[in-house]
Amino acid sequence: MVYVILVYDIDESRVAKVLKICRKYLIWVQRSVFEGEITDGNLELLQAELGRLIKDEDSVMFYITPTKKNFKRKTMGKSKEEGRNIL
Amino acid sequence: MVYVILVYDIDESRVAKVLKICRKYLIWVQRSVFEGEITDGNLELLQAELGRLIKDEDSVMFYITPTKKNFKRKTMGKSKEEGRNIL
């Protein structure tokens, strides 16, 4: 099990499909940002699904850490999940 | 000194100014994502500058960790700084 922060920059024509895939595995915390605990197996599945969909001009970045205790998160302005504190 | 990943979702009317501020302190790695080592003092300055600019409907999230060694980064598709590997 690892903790992942996923950020993407996807062409308009594909972003809805990428969003749908990411929501199956992670929590949507900002317009193009997802977070959450995920098994190594599911992380591979997620990357494979995205790999079949995205094109070279798209970008998906994964920040992978063993535990969410390795970082603090601070939000300025609105946060996507009002009232639901991830950390 | 800490390592920060900054992600933002800003209204079109303010995003250029936010980008300009973030680039003074961190490295631009994806459309709305910045990363880099930063002193605690500069992190406070960055947050204060952003705080004076953003509105409630904007969102800036900071993932703050003592060292970038806590993260592995994987990029699918294009990365902003071709050839320059941050992690």
Side-chain angles (χ1 to χ4, degrees), chain A residues 61-78:
Chain A
M61 295 200 314
F62 299 82
Y63 295 94
I64 303 161
T65 188
T67 160
K68 66 185 172 194
K69 294 191 187 83
N70 278 345
F71 60 87
K72 269 186 323 186
R73 193 180 80 168
K74 171 174 175 158
T75 301
M76 296 177 71
K78 92 176 177 222

Side-chain angles (χ1 to χ4, degrees), chain A residues 12-25:
Chain A
E12 273 305 307
S13 61
R14 287 180 291 279
V15 72
K17 280 187 189 149
V18 168
L19 171 62
K20 204 171 161 203
I21 291 172
C22 291
R23 288 182 90 167
K24 289 195 301 186
Y25 297 91

